[in-house]
Amino acid sequence: MNPHLLFFLPLLLTVPACSPAIAPRTGDTTPAGKFGWSVHGTLWNFGWGHFEGGAGRDESVSTGGADIYPETETFPWFWSAGFSVYDVGLRYGVTRWFELGASLGFQRLGGEARFALLDEDNRDPVSLAFGAGGYYSAIGNGPWGRAGFDLSMRLGSVAPLLNLYVSHGATYNTAYRDLPGNDDCPEEAPWQPCGQLVGVFSNETRFSAALGVAFSLGKEGEKQILTFGLVPHVVLDSYGQERALGGRAEDLRHDAGLHIVLGGQGPGW
């Protein structure tokens, strides 16, 4: 592994973050008979939502873009909170056009299959892969899945990339509802927003995109890839609210979010 990445990757384990559905990656698949790897961490996130007021009186609110497991079950909490800041993946090239992989983190663990539709190593103009995976979600203590496309184009040692995915699974989003007066303003933590903390557990279908860039680093034959990107998402559908932290659960809806994600993968080109 490139020494620059060895210095960089431990930093991903220290940053506070929440869970995007995807991370920026190139359209390359792992060469046949070889192993590949990936590590990603969320540097910043933000979310938008609303409280449903009825009769067109919805109230916009920040939801933090977060998936947060709220309470008591030790095993789901350990996976969701303890491993939410990063994603570690291992892949194997079954053939030139097909790879299998497994990943741990981003509040999920499971497996994925990717199929190379276009490959720049085969003199195609771009690299394009289709991927689909199934995972265990600590948030819902059940299944979570995604499917979509990875596209990239090499321009020397730099490759612009685009990822488009639809995902479905459980989320837990929180927001502060500002109440009349100052009784809901914390005296011990003046930087904390005023309001009553409200959370809602739901099943979301999301459309996520990653727009980013990859950099190939290292010596010939030992190259690895550094990736950076913006990862916005919109909620296409949300249903099945089951649990609330304060307030009425059915009032809160998470609508969209944005993550900044930094990572690495290998082998490089």
Side-chain angles (χ1 to χ4, degrees), residues 44-92:
W44 183 83
N45 73 89
F46 187 76
W48 300 269
H50 66 277
F51 287 110
E52 295 181 339
R57 297 192 301 270
D58 290 354
E59 175 189 349
S60 297
V61 66
S62 168
T63 55
D67 295 343
I68 303 171
Y69 194 81
E71 47 189 304
T72 54
E73 298 179 47
T74 301
F75 180 71
W77 182 90
F78 177 74
W79 287 107
S80 65
F83 286 154
S84 66
V85 299
Y86 67 91
D87 173 275
V88 177
L90 182 65
R91 310 185 306 274
Y92 179 75

Side-chain angles (χ1 to χ4, degrees), residues 148-234:
F149 294 91
D150 306 310
L151 173 68
S152 61
M153 182 173 65
R154 302 171 190 170
L155 303 173
S157 60
V158 179
L161 59 88
L162 175 67
N163 315 103
L164 299 173
Y165 276 77
V166 173
S167 63
H168 180 79
T171 64
Y172 189 86
N173 294 291
T174 59
Y176 284 93
R177 166 172 272 164
D178 195 6
L179 303 177
N182 296 322
D183 293 340
D184 59 348
C185 294
E187 296 180 1
E188 301 83 2
W191 60 88
Q192 182 176 319
C194 295
Q196 178 189 32
L197 182 63
V198 178
V200 61
F201 177 94
S202 62
N203 292 292
E204 287 184 358
T205 301
R206 290 184 180 182
F207 174 72
S208 300
L211 180 62
V213 63
F215 304 91
S216 184
L217 307 173
K219 300 178 181 179
E220 194 65 35
E222 302 178 359
K223 290 189 174 183
Q224 313 295 335
I225 299 172
L226 180 67
T227 59
F228 173 82
L230 301 177
V231 185
H233 70 263
V234 295

Side-chain angles (χ1 to χ4, degrees), residues 112-124:
E112 182 182 44
R114 292 175 77 220
F115 303 86
L117 305 178
L118 296 172
D119 187 351
E120 288 167 284
D121 290 331
N122 195 43
R123 298 184 180 180
D124 292 323

Side-chain angles (χ1 to χ4, degrees), residues 241-268:
Q241 285 76 13
E242 299 177 7
R243 184 185 298 118
L245 176 63
R248 296 172 54 195
E250 64 270 20
D251 286 348
L252 176 61
R253 294 290 186 272
H254 172 65
D255 298 322
L258 174 68
H259 297 78
I260 297 178
V261 182
L262 196 60
Q265 67 180 67

